Amino acid sequence: MARLFSPRPPPSEDLFYETYYSLSQQYPLLLLLLVIVLVGLLALLAVAWASGRELASDPGFLTTMLCGLGGFSLLLGLASREQRLQRWTRPLSGLVWAALLALGLGFLFTGGVVSAWDQVSFFLFVIFTVYAMLPLGMRDAAAAGLASSLSHLLVLGLYLGLQPDSQPALLPQLAANAVLFLCGNVAGAYHKALMERALRATFREALSSLHSRRRLDTEKKHQEHLLLSILPAYLAREMKAEIMARLQAGQGSRPESTNNFHSLYVKRHQGVSVLYADIVGFTRLASECSPKELVLMLNELFGKFDQIAKEHECMRIKILGDCYYCVSGLPLSLPDHAINCVRMGLDMCRAIRKLRAATGVDINMRVGVHSGSVLCGVIGLQKWQYDVWSHDVTLANHMEASGVPGRVHITGATLALLAGAYAVEDAAMEHGDPYLRELGEPTYLVIDPRAEEEDEKGTAGRLLSSLEGPKMRPSLLMTRYLESWGAAKPFAHLSHVESPVSTSTPLPEKALSSFSPQWSLDRSRTPRGLDDELDTGDAKFFQVIEQLNSQKQWKQSEDFNPLTLYFREKEMEKEYRLSALPAFKYYAACTFLVFFSNFIIQMLVTNRPPALTITYSITFLLFFLLLFVCFSEHLTKCVLKGPKMLHWLPTLSVLVATRPGLRVALGTATILLVFSMAITSLVFLPAASNCPFRAPNVSFTASNLSWEIPGSLPLISVPYSVHCCVLGFLSCSLFLHMSFELKLLLLLLWLAACCSLFLHSHAWLSDCLIARLYLGALDSRPGVLKEPKLMGAISFFIFFFTLLVLARQNEYYCRLDFLWKKKLRQEQEETETMENLTRLLLENVLPAHVAPQFIGQNRRNEDLYHQSYECVCVLFASVPDFKEFYSESSINHEGLECLRLLNEIIADFDELLSKPKFSGVEKIKTICSTYMAATGLNATSGQDAQQDAEQSCSHLGTMVEFAVALGSKLDVINKHSFNNFRLRVGLNHGPVVAGVIGAQKPQYDIWGNTVNVASRMESTGVLGKIQVTEETACALQSLGYTCYSRGIIKVKGKGQLCTYFLNTDLTRTGPPSATLG
């Protein structure tokens, strides 16, 4: 039982719960209670008039009735002022209780002789409704219930104690009354505790759902921003569906397709311009930078370029080291795409000129632009990057490579689209680029109209004056200057994913005060932090409160049928009816309390006939058996110590809690037992008998006549049988989760049985008791509430309608609780899916060990992510034959089918990454048909330096195995596509700097001499071979691989290098070889 009374939550939640509870649940019940009382009073008048009683002859009863009607009408009018209810809830509830108590005391002393059993049912009604229908706290309700009980006991005890001994024994009757009131208090408190627990749980689930929705909305925004940081909006929808399919099929796998090809998200666009830009002199400058300076420098530079691109309606495609390229005319066609790219190129050159002038660092910008058509989209399965392909893209790349530092180099196609917007001059150079030389088309350099206006010396003087002091390194000087540009940090638009918000989080004060213009909350009661909440949550808070309002049960709803309260979805209705009910055992235990109360009452007021004793003995055994079944799980330890044949007993309570059919049968049987035992004492009486007190010769002076009918029960047991029947009505209300239709059936059955018994078959007992009470007063008739049969019938109907209202209310909230739990589960699952989607998206941009730096509770946007590594193995693997294979014709849909094959190659390469043995391989990017990957990036900073060479570079072997696996994959593709592609691989290992740059499209990359040399190892390599540097060859030999010397080759930017080929025909041979050759 203690578990039912949950501890008080924080004050903030109490404040909102009390508001919700008073308004949505208790307010309608308060109105219904007042209506029931008024209807009951009118019914009393109608019964009194219909039974032929002269109301004028009993002015006390009439005055009590009129005062009651007037008082409760006034209270109903006050309660109808809904906007005033919040502030005056407790005073109004106190007034209603006081009015009910006064009405009961008024009935007690009007209408006839005062008896010990008088108005017990009415006071029982007052006690129960104080708990179940008045908006009072548990303590206030308990105080009112106990005060009601004591007032009846004390008033009658004092009043009847002073009367002559014309009444039957007073003490047993008062004891029976005390048992009745105690049972009413316990049943009412139990009902209130269960309902408050259920309502508070529903309220918490509703708030949790509200917070879950906020979190879900946040996740959707994160996911949308992440997706749009990788892909254009037109492609994002298709790719999102692909990701969701992968999540459902299992992470890393791809959904089943109707063909053997991977999904291809590439489209052709005509009328675009492509810009390539390279920072001349940056490689030498980067070698002097610390990791933090390098990443900051790149982020600021490319962040500035992203801003310029946005201003000129260009879309950045990719960053390749210090190379930046973008397109204008995607995804929407633009008529001035060529002008956009030229303007952007000029602004980029201008920004670099200002940088050079301000810092004295010798860097420059080389830009190439070409206009034509492109294939654009995403290829592969991992590390998606929006890219463009076509001969025109290749031409734009060569325009940059053969351009002039500080100038924008354009083709004739771009010049034609400029329509004279810019003056140009012939490039007038002997093209050293074989590609351009082969084309033989003239190229041009754009003249910047603002170049002559710039006074570099003046600008430099102004800026350098702020950097006076000791001479700084060029890299530091440049970093300081770039910080003034204020480029946005990567993923700056993402806020951290909110952790699950507790339901005790305060909601906006505005949300509560806005229920009605006249409502306001006292500042002293308002918890701290309310003003910090976002106003955007108010509307959703209103929606939640509105959905919790019990008055909605009578309105049209998407979830419920307003008449039956059944769920509109059949599956949900079935799930609700089949749901487990662990609290059933408590229902049965409290019902046993009602049964036990009936037993004590009948033992007190009857002469305890043997038949009744035997019947109760049998019923007690049945109840004990039922309780044993319900609570058998608590006897597990005792049972397990006994014989094995009894070890199955603890499972009985689980079966009862989980089997709806068994639960309904046991619940119905329990209630029927209480019903039957409430009237058992009357069953043993004859249906009709001669009452000795109606004899004409019996006079009032015969006070020594017995209160018993010969061969029957004492007459005072008749009104107490009525009270026991009322307790039978209460037993129905104790099964909170019992379906409304079953409760209605049982209440109707019990109402019909009780009315038939007391108004028809055994009505003579009531008449006989009245005759005994009013001996000699033949002309006088007692009031309606003084006659047991009429009093009983009125009590039965009042309790019937009251409990019917509560049953409907309980049914609604049980179903609402189930609905909110289900919604919360669904939203939590959806949120989890969105979180997984966000994580998968982020890991498609960043490595798994880097992603937590940008999303999660420990995320910090104020710092750029950068990390230096001492030993990283970098791989470049290309398919050079693809350049010859690629063609643009109507047969292959202008190159689309060629890209489909490239997509298959890259996707098959990506599938290798999901293998456990390649878990340490991190894909960096793809550059056309070149695949770039690295190992050793998941090591913690400084870890490699603390290990010896053999341990720190052990991942080189993983990269070699990966390179061999790439070749095997390509062989399989060749077999199926009837091609003869061969792989050209370059490997190098050494220190690198890793980081994330770019706010518009954040990109993870690695930089350093190690990367540049690995790229040269691939570009100067041989088809079918893995070329490595001498240092890497030595490291691989120590791991058991065999390398042989290629000789001295010329490497651009590095001079003469001695390189080696890896013998890929052999796997690890165990002991290292003595030589490399």
Side-chain angles (χ1 to χ4, degrees):
M1 290 291 292
R3 293 171 58 190
L4 300 177
F5 298 86
S6 53
R8 294 179 66 83
S12 58
E13 184 178 313
D14 270 348
L15 174 61
F16 295 105
Y17 175 71
E18 286 169 9
T19 305
Y20 147 71
Y21 183 73
S22 298
L23 299 178
S24 69
Q25 204 269 349
Q26 290 287 7
Y27 173 70
L29 288 181
L30 176 61
L31 293 180
L32 286 171
L33 172 60
L34 294 172
V35 170
I36 289 172
V37 172
L38 286 171
V39 172
L41 291 174
L42 292 173
L44 270 177
L45 288 174
V47 170
W49 176 79
S51 60
R53 288 174 170 82
E54 291 290 337
L55 295 177
S57 62
D58 191 355
F61 176 74
L62 184 60
T63 302
T64 303
M65 292 294 294
L66 293 178
C67 290
L69 285 170
F72 282 102
S73 297
L74 180 61
L75 288 172
L76 182 60
L78 288 174
S80 300
R81 299 289 301 275
E82 184 179 349
Q83 68 271 17
R84 298 290 183 189
L85 182 63
Q86 184 193 15
R87 184 175 295 178
W88 304 107
T89 297
R90 292 183 67 184
L92 183 61
S93 302
L95 282 175
V96 173
W97 169 72
L100 286 170
L101 197 60
L103 187 63
L105 292 173
F107 286 149
L108 199 61
F109 292 100
T110 59
V113 178
V114 178
S115 303
W117 47 264
D118 221 353
Q119 304 309 315
V120 171
S121 294
F122 185 84
F123 273 75
L124 197 59
F125 171 77
V126 174
I127 291 167
F128 185 75
T129 53
V130 159
Y131 288 99
M133 302 185 78
L134 287 183
L136 294 172
M138 181 63 79
R139 292 180 180 178
D140 293 340
L146 291 175
S148 303
S149 307
L150 291 173
S151 65
H152 186 278
L153 293 172
L154 290 175
V155 168
L156 281 182
L158 293 173
Y159 181 80
L160 294 177
L162 301 176
Q163 298 294 322
D165 280 341
S166 59
Q167 295 271 348
L170 181 61
L171 193 58
Q173 293 182 78
L174 292 179
N177 293 352
V179 172
L180 278 163
F181 295 149
L182 179 63
C183 182
N185 275 283
V186 172
Y190 178 80
H191 184 279
K192 187 176 187 68
L194 285 179
M195 278 306 299
E196 282 202 347
R197 185 187 181 198
L199 288 169
R200 196 177 290 278
T202 304
F203 185 69
R204 284 175 174 170
E205 284 151 13
L207 289 188
S208 295
S209 179
L210 176 61
H211 294 308
S212 181
R213 288 177 194 174
R214 287 181 177 178
R215 182 177 173 185
L216 181 60
D217 291 342
T218 302
E219 279 300 330
K220 286 181 177 178
K221 289 177 182 177
H222 287 183
Q223 171 260 115
E224 193 71 21
H225 283 134
L226 273 171
L227 201 55
L228 293 178
S229 73
I230 309 170
L231 309 167
Y234 82 97
L235 245 178
R237 289 186 295 271
E238 295 181 55
M239 299 301 286
K240 182 177 178 180
E242 168 81 9
I243 303 169
M244 294 298 291
R246 286 174 60 187
L247 280 175
Q248 293 172 1
Q251 184 183 352
S253 63
R254 61 189 176 99
E256 294 182 5
S257 178
T258 54
N259 53 46
N260 294 324
F261 293 103
H262 295 84
S263 300
L264 180 65
Y265 300 98
V266 175
K267 292 183 179 180
R268 184 173 181 81
H269 282 263
Q270 295 181 337
V272 300
S273 292
V274 184
L275 177 148
Y276 270 82
D278 188 69
I279 304 174
V280 181
F282 185 81
T283 302
R284 177 178 52 80
L285 177 65
S287 64
E288 303 174 2
C289 296
S290 67
K292 182 175 182 178
E293 290 173 348
L294 176 62
V295 174
L296 175 62
M297 190 185 304
L298 287 169
N299 186 70
E300 294 291 339
L301 276 171
F302 293 133
K304 180 67 173 179
F305 296 161
D306 284 345
Q307 292 173 10
I308 296 172
K310 188 175 182 180
E311 291 170 5
H312 297 298
E313 297 182 288
C314 296
M315 176 192 293
R316 188 244 290 173
I317 300 300
K318 198 177 287 188
I319 298 170
L320 302 175
D322 58 355
C323 179
Y324 182 102
Y325 69 100
C326 62
V327 175
S328 182
L330 284 179
L332 300 177
S333 297
L334 296 172
D336 50 356
H337 55 86
I339 295 176
N340 290 341
C341 276
V342 171
R343 284 177 180 169
M344 179 176 174
L346 292 174
D347 283 352
M348 293 171 81
C349 292
R350 193 173 300 116
I352 293 297
R353 278 200 301 272
K354 288 182 179 179
L355 174 64
R356 183 177 65 248
T359 62
V361 177
D362 186 19
I363 61 171
N364 215 327
M365 178 62 75
R366 192 171 57 215
V367 180
V369 179
H370 173 60
S371 303
S373 59
V374 297
L375 290 165
C376 57
V378 174
I379 62 172
L381 300 178
Q382 296 191 21
K383 294 297 184 295
W384 289 327
Q385 289 183 352
Y386 190 68
D387 210 344
V388 290
W389 305 266
S390 72
H391 290 317
D392 291 323
V393 174
T394 305
L395 178 54
N397 189 6
H398 286 279
M399 289 296 293
E400 174 273 313
S402 61
V404 177
R407 302 295 297 274
V408 178
H409 191 198
I410 64 173
T411 61
T414 302
L415 178 62
L417 293 172
L418 292 180
Y422 287 95
V424 297
E425 58 184 3
D426 290 338
M429 60 181 72
E430 192 68 32
H431 284 302
D433 191 305
Y435 189 87
L436 292 178
R437 190 166 57 244
E438 184 180 343
L439 287 177
E441 294 184 3
T443 59
Y444 308 89
L445 297 173
V446 179
I447 299 173
D448 189 350
R450 290 174 291 180
E452 298 178 359
E453 302 174 4
E454 294 179 357
D455 185 354
E456 295 188 5
K457 291 184 179 180
T459 304
R462 288 193 300 271
L463 293 174
L464 286 174
S465 64
S466 63
L467 299 175
E468 293 177 355
K471 182 175 178 59
M472 295 185 181
R473 288 185 290 110
S475 59
L476 182 58
L477 195 63
M478 184 170 169
T479 303
R480 292 280 179 87
Y481 176 71
L482 287 173
E483 283 180 335
S484 65
W485 284 1
K489 303 290 192 299
F491 301 106
H493 57 282
L494 293 181
S495 61
H496 72 274
V497 178
E498 296 176 359
S499 58
V501 185
S502 67
T503 56
S504 61
T505 302
L507 291 171
E509 179 180 345
K510 183 190 297 184
L512 289 178
S513 61
S514 300
F515 275 112
S516 173
Q518 288 132 357
W519 286 7
S520 63
L521 287 175
D522 186 356
R523 274 284 175 187
S524 62
R525 296 183 63 205
T526 305
R528 293 182 181 179
L530 291 180
D531 297 331
D532 299 334
E533 289 292 325
L534 295 176
D535 291 339
T536 54
D538 290 357
K540 292 183 179 179
F541 178 73
F542 294 146
Q543 294 172 6
V544 169
I545 293 297
E546 179 61 23
Q547 290 178 28
L548 292 174
N549 197 312
S550 63
Q551 298 174 64
K552 283 185 68 69
Q553 62 181 292
W554 304 104
K555 301 177 182 178
Q556 286 295 332
S557 168
E558 296 179 357
D559 303 308
F560 300 107
N561 182 308
L563 182 62
T564 63
L565 291 181
Y566 287 2
F567 291 111
R568 295 191 183 277
E569 294 182 15
K570 292 183 178 180
E571 286 300 319
M572 188 179 293
E573 179 67 24
K574 182 180 179 182
E575 186 180 348
Y576 170 75
R577 292 185 177 273
L578 294 177
S579 58
L581 184 59
F584 180 82
K585 56 191 173 196
Y586 301 117
Y587 302 165
C590 200
T591 309
F592 175 75
L593 176 65
V594 174
F595 165 77
F596 189 65
S597 299
N598 279 343
F599 167 73
I600 294 175
I601 292 166
Q602 296 197 28
M603 291 301 104
L604 286 171
V605 299
T606 66
N607 52 10
R608 296 176 288 278
L612 184 64
T613 306
I614 294 171
T615 307
Y616 263 110
S617 300
I618 296 171
T619 313
F620 264 109
L621 287 175
L622 293 175
F623 252 111
F624 286 142
L625 181 61
L626 171 66
L627 293 175
F628 175 78
V629 169
C630 291
F631 287 90
S632 60
E633 64 176 343
H634 297 284
L635 305 174
T636 303
K637 292 183 179 179
C638 298
V639 172
L640 292 178
K641 293 179 181 178
K644 288 186 178 181
M645 60 182 297
L646 299 178
H647 286 185
W648 56 273
L649 288 176
T651 61
L652 290 175
S653 61
V654 179
L655 287 175
V656 172
T658 56
R659 298 291 178 88
L662 180 60
R663 199 165 59 231
V664 169
L666 288 177
T668 306
T670 305
I671 294 172
L672 290 177
L673 275 178
V674 175
F675 285 174
S676 61
M677 295 311 297
I679 58 173
T680 300
S681 60
L682 299 179
V683 171
F684 297 107
L685 294 177
S689 177
N690 295 322
C691 179
F693 308 114
R694 292 179 180 176
N697 58 349
V698 176
S699 67
F700 179 73
T701 56
S703 59
N704 58 345
L705 287 176
S706 172
W707 283 87
E708 294 188 14
I709 302 173
S712 182
L713 294 172
L715 285 174
I716 59 167
S717 67
V718 176
Y720 283 98
S721 295
V722 172
H723 304 328
C724 288
C725 290
V726 170
L727 288 184
F729 278 98
L730 289 184
S731 66
C732 266
S733 69
L734 300 177
F735 287 83
L736 256 67
H737 279 75
M738 181 177 282
S739 63
F740 175 75
E741 60 269 24
L742 183 56
K743 282 186 182 178
L744 175 61
L745 180 63
L746 290 172
L747 287 172
L748 278 173
L749 174 67
W750 189 230
L751 179 66
C754 292
C755 289
S756 174
L757 193 67
F758 289 99
L759 292 178
H760 180 63
S761 63
H762 290 72
W764 66 274
L765 289 170
S766 175
D767 297 336
C768 192
L769 176 60
I770 296 302
R772 175 65 182 86
L773 281 172
Y774 296 87
L775 283 172
L778 297 177
D779 295 332
S780 65
R781 295 184 64 184
V784 175
L785 293 178
K786 298 291 185 176
E787 193 170 345
K789 63 180 181 182
L790 293 179
M791 179 238 358
I794 293 170
S795 299
F796 297 153
F797 275 97
I798 289 177
F799 271 93
F800 172 78
F801 287 112
T802 302
L803 295 178
L804 211 56
V805 167
L806 288 174
R808 169 87 181 192
Q809 191 88 341
N810 294 346
E811 176 83 358
Y812 176 68
Y813 274 104
C814 288
R815 289 177 174 273
L816 193 64
D817 180 60
F818 175 82
L819 178 65
W820 279 105
K821 283 180 180 176
K822 187 173 181 65
K823 284 183 176 181
L824 182 59
R825 284 197 303 269
Q826 291 174 345
E827 286 166 356
Q828 286 174 341
E829 290 172 2
E830 190 176 352
T831 302
E832 185 178 349
T833 301
M834 283 297 166
E835 286 177 346
N836 290 335
L837 180 59
T838 303
R839 176 185 49 77
L840 186 60
L841 281 171
L842 199 57
E843 290 179 3
N844 245 319
V845 185
L846 309 173
H849 67 280
V850 178
Q853 302 288 330
F854 293 89
I855 198 164
Q857 297 180 10
N858 298 322
R859 183 176 169 270
R860 296 183 303 170
N861 267 330
E862 63 270 18
D863 295 331
L864 286 165
Y865 173 79
H866 59 85
Q867 186 72 55
S868 60
Y869 298 90
E870 292 301 318
C871 182
V872 170
C873 185
V874 183
L875 169 142
F876 282 85
S878 71
V879 186
D881 298 335
F882 182 79
K883 292 181 180 178
E884 298 177 6
F885 173 79
Y886 180 82
S887 63
E888 296 176 1
S889 64
S890 58
I891 298 176
N892 62 18
H893 300 94
E894 303 299 328
L896 185 63
E897 296 308 315
C898 297
L899 276 186
R900 189 180 302 279
L901 181 58
L902 179 62
N903 183 56
E904 290 302 308
I905 294 172
I906 302 300
D908 282 0
F909 288 176
D910 286 345
E911 285 179 343
L912 290 173
L913 299 173
S914 61
K915 293 188 175 183
K917 67 177 181 177
F918 297 134
S919 60
V921 179
E922 191 66 49
K923 177 184 177 182
I924 305 299
K925 68 180 78 168
T926 55
I927 309 155
C928 192
S929 61
T930 302
Y931 195 92
M932 178 183 176
T935 57
L937 292 173
N938 53 359
T940 58
S941 179
Q943 177 181 346
D944 294 328
Q946 300 172 8
Q947 299 173 340
D948 56 40
E950 183 178 353
Q951 290 176 325
S952 64
C953 296
S954 59
H955 55 80
L956 269 67
T958 304
M959 185 58 88
V960 171
E961 299 295 337
F962 183 70
V964 173
L966 292 179
S968 300
K969 278 285 186 183
L970 193 59
D971 289 341
V972 174
I973 292 172
N974 285 334
K975 181 179 179 181
H976 289 91
S977 63
F978 305 104
N979 283 297
N980 191 28
F981 294 132
R982 287 185 294 173
L983 208 60
R984 188 174 69 196
V985 180
L987 285 181
N988 189 30
H989 81 288
V992 301
V993 174
V996 179
I997 58 172
Q1000 297 296 323
K1001 290 186 177 180
Q1003 181 176 319
Y1004 177 83
D1005 210 343
I1006 55 176
W1007 304 272
N1009 183 63
T1010 301
V1011 179
N1012 297 334
V1013 173
S1015 175
R1016 300 305 180 202
M1017 289 297 98
E1018 178 274 318
S1019 60
T1020 60
V1022 177
L1023 290 175
K1025 299 290 185 180
I1026 301 175
Q1027 182 172 228
V1028 299
T1029 61
E1030 186 173 4
E1031 294 80 5
T1032 303
C1034 292
L1036 289 173
Q1037 183 190 21
S1038 68
L1039 295 175
Y1041 292 96
T1042 303
C1043 299
Y1044 58 93
S1045 175
R1046 179 188 182 184
I1048 305 295
I1049 62 169
K1050 183 179 180 181
V1051 177
K1052 180 181 177 182
K1054 303 299 174 183
Q1056 304 292 325
L1057 287 181
C1058 179
T1059 64
Y1060 292 79
F1061 287 131
L1062 183 67
N1063 187 353
T1064 55
D1065 296 331
L1066 300 175
T1067 56
R1068 299 190 186 192
T1069 58
S1073 182
T1075 62
L1076 294 173

